[in-house]
Amino acid sequence: MEKLVHLHVNGASRSITLDPETPLLFALRNDLAYKGPKLGCALEQCHACTVLIDGAAVPSCKIPVSQVENLEITTLEALGTPDDLHDLQAAFIDQQAIQCGTCVNGMLMAAEGLLRRERYPTDEQIKEALERNLCRCGVYDRVRRAIHLRTGRELSKPWSVVSDRLSVLRDAWGASQPEELGSLRINPDLDSWIKIDGGGTVTVMTGKVEIGQGLKTAVAQIAAEELDVAFERVNVIDADTRITPNEGITAGSMSMETTGRAIRQAAADARHILLKLAFEELEAETPAEQLQVNDGVVVDPATGRQTDYWHLHADRPFGVAVSGVGQPKSPADYTIIGQPLERTDLVGKVTGTFTYIHDLDLPNMVHARIIRPPGPAKKQIPLNPETLQSVSVRKGILKIVQDGSFFGVICEREEQAIWAAEKLAELAIWGPADGTSANGLTHQTIYKHMQESESIDFAVVNGVGIEGAPPERQPLTQHAIRATYTRPFGMHASLLPSAAVAHAEPDSDKMNLWVQTQGVFPQRDTIAPILGIDPAELTVIHMEGAGCYGNNGADDCALDAALLARAFPGRPVMLKWTRADEHGREPYTSPMIVEMAADLDADGTITQWHHDVWSYTHLNRPMAGTETSAYIAAQEIANGMPKPAERPRYIRHIGEYRNADPLYALPNKQITSHFIPNAPFKVSSLRTLGAFANLFGIESFMDELAHAAGEDPIAYRLRHMQDERAIAVIKATAEHANWEPRTTPNLTGKGRGFAFNQYKNIQSYCGMVVDVTVDDSGKITLDKVLMAVDSGEVINPDGLANQMEGGFVQAASWALFEQVTFDENGVTSLDWDSYPILRFPDAPIIETVILDRPGYPFLGAGEASSGPVAAAIANAVFDATGKRLRDIPFINQPA
């Protein structure tokens, strides 16, 4: 029953008509347009929805509006505006205490509630106050620092740069021509990348997507540097099938190596063309390439005459291909690259004015939910018309969509869609799904099942899978050292569930789709055939959502939204998955078993090395141009597509054998992948793919071998390493962590562990020392982390450090806590209580040492710090207790 409800929000009285049992969050977001608080779980478990009620930080996703009438409600928008920031918001920006930013509302409001009680809170008080505030990107330590900065405490940077420009300054980029750069080969037109705008700005276009990694800021720095314009003049548009270049999927830590290099050359070419135009207009006496440019103003030093880019070329196409005619700058001339500039999106994110996909509010928009069982073992049996009619008469329900076993509901209001979906789920009849392999399995029996399953076995040589049966191995001696390591099913578990908006035009094939995908063109080209339309009729536009780093539920949600919009043309349809949808049906990362074995000679030198890995696929994104589809709904609708066969890929460092080939110089390496088709759940890519488990095995095993040889773990690695940059990173890690050599464990409850990797053996190098405390109950506390990283030429050191910290924290959460639990009826870890992750009190202090290499190629950094984490923690626990941890998650193992 609706009634008039009176709320006092941000100092103003507001009256709205709605059901008094409506949760406050929906009234704030959908009726009053306060988008700062986010819907993360609707269970009061993540606190992304926190507001202040009479000065106290309270989650708003469950509390009814009837309980807060006439109380003072404060949202993020009231703290400060983009033009007048609150000191706490400014501190968050100063410390870059944000990656994707979907947690920042909860963090800021909880921090503000704390600061209203405690003027100078201690670390322990901060951790206690923000314990329920979850973050998946890993900015806990930066939030702690920001709160201290707000109180006036002076802070040193959590990162430092070590750079020897004289020894490394050279043209290490090589003589690559533009056509050799993949993104330029596919998108050669300069106008696909750079546009000189009429308003005194420059627009840069990239086909890669911003997911909180600072991509837009880095791209803007590169373009501003090469064009000689102020950083503030550069606007970046990412991933829109109408206007941006097609750069496929944002994955594999390849963005700077692809779009970064392409934009670098495109901007250099644009500058060259603009200087030629200026030379002609100015009738310059100075050669074109020697004209002076300052913030887009071009001056002939010989005559003093000047012009600017906007007078020369505003709103005009270049009309040429990127040819390499422009010479990119030497690092010695950089003024913008290498600087820790503030990210361009942070002001909007700390003030609640940034629009995420979940915040999109189009005219006449309706709201939808889907109904699915918690796992693929069941499917919905269509309900009869009488049952549907009993629900559809409820006010606000516009349409119930049934297509095969695809099942959704469309309503006027979001809370109406939630009620209807819950009611339909109660009425739903779940029958057995076709072809499921999950029957009888549980998370306790999965490893046995994997090793007993029929697998496709092949050798991995120099990081490349070799199709065909692996060669017979040289047997190990009877004194060989052996160990087995495991990693369970794991989730992306993005802080906000997936969302998408679709608008199907009536009496037309045209559809617009706003999504949080990591690849708009692949999404367009894989959804259009399912809808039966030409891809040219489908426009896909990226909008930011919660950070995920991999193939989470976003792509499936996009198709769900498109199917619902097709059934309800003419009005935009906002679909949000629920927390149970996301936890229960997102593509997980595959469980893995890694068996290691090695022989040592009398001096402790490795003489043979065996590495076996068992895994399901890590590559299950929908692919265009096939008769199959990996989308869940494609197998549910009546005239859909079958799911693709799961098969291994035989390319370099991919899937389950990513980083299985160690960088160490080892003789007689024999690496075998045992690929298992037909995973019991949908699995696909999660940050690092198989590298996390492989490096857990490799770096833990190297520690075990060092101990067996009676050597210091770092010294042992160094004597098996020949790569000069790897040696530099390992030594820098040891030096800055004040590592003291040890040959026996400490056994005091406090320990230090080391681990190292070069991601994919071709990208960023990362070494780390982790300090832990292990109490008598076996609880592991991460005290401090020191990382050293070599990512080639550094664009933004603070952004790089933030990525390294986030990669560590997310991987530490995998190692310590995370495991998908399930039984014969489906997934049981459907919320944050049943799928615990690393929380604020668990987060360590992190310091990052950056080895800058000016003039060297960019190396991808988004996944470099995640791979070594589990081994570093396990090695530290061994140092503290003498116990080896070989099974993830560690939290279930007494130390």
Side-chain angles (χ1 to χ4, degrees), residues 805-819:
E805 295 165 25
F808 178 92
V809 171
Q810 188 179 43
S813 184
W814 301 337
L816 290 172
F817 301 105
E818 296 187 36
Q819 176 177 228

Side-chain angles (χ1 to χ4, degrees), residues 173-185 261-262 265 269 322-327:
W173 290 84
S176 297
Q177 296 300 308
E179 61 269 17
E180 296 174 9
L181 302 179
S183 290
L184 289 178
R185 185 175 63 251
R261 294 189 71 180
Q265 187 59 62
D269 274 21
V322 179
S323 65
V325 67
Q327 178 62 42

Side-chain angles (χ1 to χ4, degrees), residues 380-383 401-407 635-639:
Q380 189 246 343
I381 296 173
L383 296 176
V401 179
Q402 279 196 130
D403 183 352
S405 60
F406 177 77
F407 198 19
Q635 287 109 54
E636 293 176 329
I637 58 177
N639 296 306

